[in-house]
Amino acid sequence: MRRLRLALSLLLAGVLLVLGQAPAQAAVWWSSDQWGNWTSGGYTLYNNIWGSGAGPQTIWANSTSNWGVWANHPNTGGIKSYPNASRSVGIKLSALRSATSTFNVTVPTSGVAFTTAYDIWANGTSYEIMLWMNKYGAVGPLGTFQTAVTVGGHTWNVYSGSNGANQVFSFVRTSNTNAGTVDIRAVLNWIRTRGWYGDVTLSTIQFGYEITSSSGGKDFVTNSYSASAS
């Protein structure tokens, strides 16, 4: 049985490498399932192909801090997927002492439409706070422009709107970056000082790639990632 598992792992790693879907080393987990997920060390990775008209997508992980996605979504409008790493928190903002995250990614910059983004949820799914760290192609935030602000270690253009199910606050970085540290607590507290919500509970921190199109197959690689809250 051990030999069979090893043989299958090496075979799949070789196939993925030929297709450009994974790094040279064999991943410890992978999935092409629409809702494929894997939990380890307090994080859950999700393939999360949720939009209509999506193409094939494979998520892989060497660890929850080093993972990536190969996606081949057609050049059409509408978000196709949000492969991400998710961490549950469950702490009220008034009791939150710290919430920070660091990331380092390698992403395509042409022939694509996507954003590398945090998707942060408060009060369950009542409030959605998106932090766009980079964006390429024809993508844009939901809602209307509110203001520009420097908070959490970055300078953003802030948008607010509703998707019909929850309120969405989008912080779009004024210039693209592939690496950095974000003070999430500072961002959440800034929203509270604006009166846009009260003493909410930080429910979940997600980080990943909101992909609209990646025709021909593109690689999105999370070289390193961590998120913590207490």
Side-chain angles (χ1 to χ4, degrees), residues 2 17 28 74-75 98 101 114 124 132 175 178 229:
R2 181 182 298 176
L17 179 58
V28 300
N75 187 21
S98 174
S101 179
F114 78 97
W132 289 28
S175 61
N178 287 341

Side-chain angles (χ1 to χ4, degrees), residues 133-172:
M133 308 316 298
N134 59 44
K135 59 183 176 69
Y136 295 92
V139 294
L142 179 73
T144 57
F145 174 76
Q146 301 297 311
T147 188
V149 63
T150 298
V151 65
H154 304 266
T155 300
W156 324 85
N157 290 319
V158 183
Y159 297 77
S160 177
S162 173
N163 61 17
N166 49 264
Q167 189 69 25
V168 182
F169 305 113
S170 297
F171 289 68
V172 180

Side-chain angles (χ1 to χ4, degrees), residues 15-228:
V15 170
L16 293 178
L17 179 58
V18 169
L19 294 177
Q21 296 183 23
Q25 68 187 96
V28 300
W29 173 78
W30 57 84
S31 178
S32 299
D33 293 343
Q34 181 179 9
W35 308 115
N37 62 87
W38 176 61
T39 298
S40 178
Y43 297 87
T44 300
L45 299 185
Y46 294 99
N47 206 25
N48 196 25
I49 308 170
W50 64 268
S52 61
Q57 177 176 292
T58 298
I59 188 171
W60 56 265
N62 295 318
S63 67
T64 52
S65 63
N66 175 216
W67 60 276
V69 171
W70 175 89
N72 185 5
H73 299 303
N75 187 21
T76 55
I79 299 166
K80 309 301 191 303
S81 67
Y82 179 58
N84 69 85
S86 178
R87 180 155 208 160
S88 297
V89 179
I91 303 175
K92 289 187 73 68
L93 193 51
S94 58
L96 190 65
R97 295 175 298 172
S98 174
T100 61
S101 179
T102 62
F103 70 96
N104 183 297
V105 301
T106 301
V107 294
T109 59
S110 62
V112 289
F114 78 97
T115 177
T116 301
Y118 287 88
D119 207 3
I120 299 164
W121 297 90
N123 279 8
T125 58
S126 297
Y127 298 99
E128 181 179 10
I129 301 96
M130 297 203 72
L131 310 180
W132 289 28
M133 308 316 298
N134 59 44
K135 59 183 176 69
Y136 295 92
V139 294
L142 179 73
T144 57
F145 174 76
Q146 301 297 311
T147 188
V149 63
T150 298
V151 65
H154 304 266
T155 300
W156 324 85
N157 290 319
V158 183
Y159 297 77
S160 177
S162 173
N163 61 17
N166 49 264
Q167 189 69 25
V168 182
F169 305 113
S170 297
F171 289 68
V172 180
R173 203 174 187 277
T174 55
S175 61
N176 286 341
T177 184
N178 287 341
T181 298
V182 182
D183 186 341
I184 294 170
R185 178 178 178 270
V187 174
L188 298 179
N189 275 323
W190 181 85
I191 297 172
R192 186 183 181 189
T193 63
R194 299 278 297 190
W196 292 347
Y197 56 46
D199 188 15
V200 297
T201 296
L202 170 56
S203 302
T204 311
I205 299 171
Q206 296 177 316
F207 174 82
Y209 310 96
E210 193 173 68
I211 307 172
T212 294
S213 65
S214 54
S215 183
K218 302 293 183 180
D219 286 299
F220 305 79
V221 179
T222 306
N223 301 307
S224 61
Y225 170 71
S226 66
S228 62

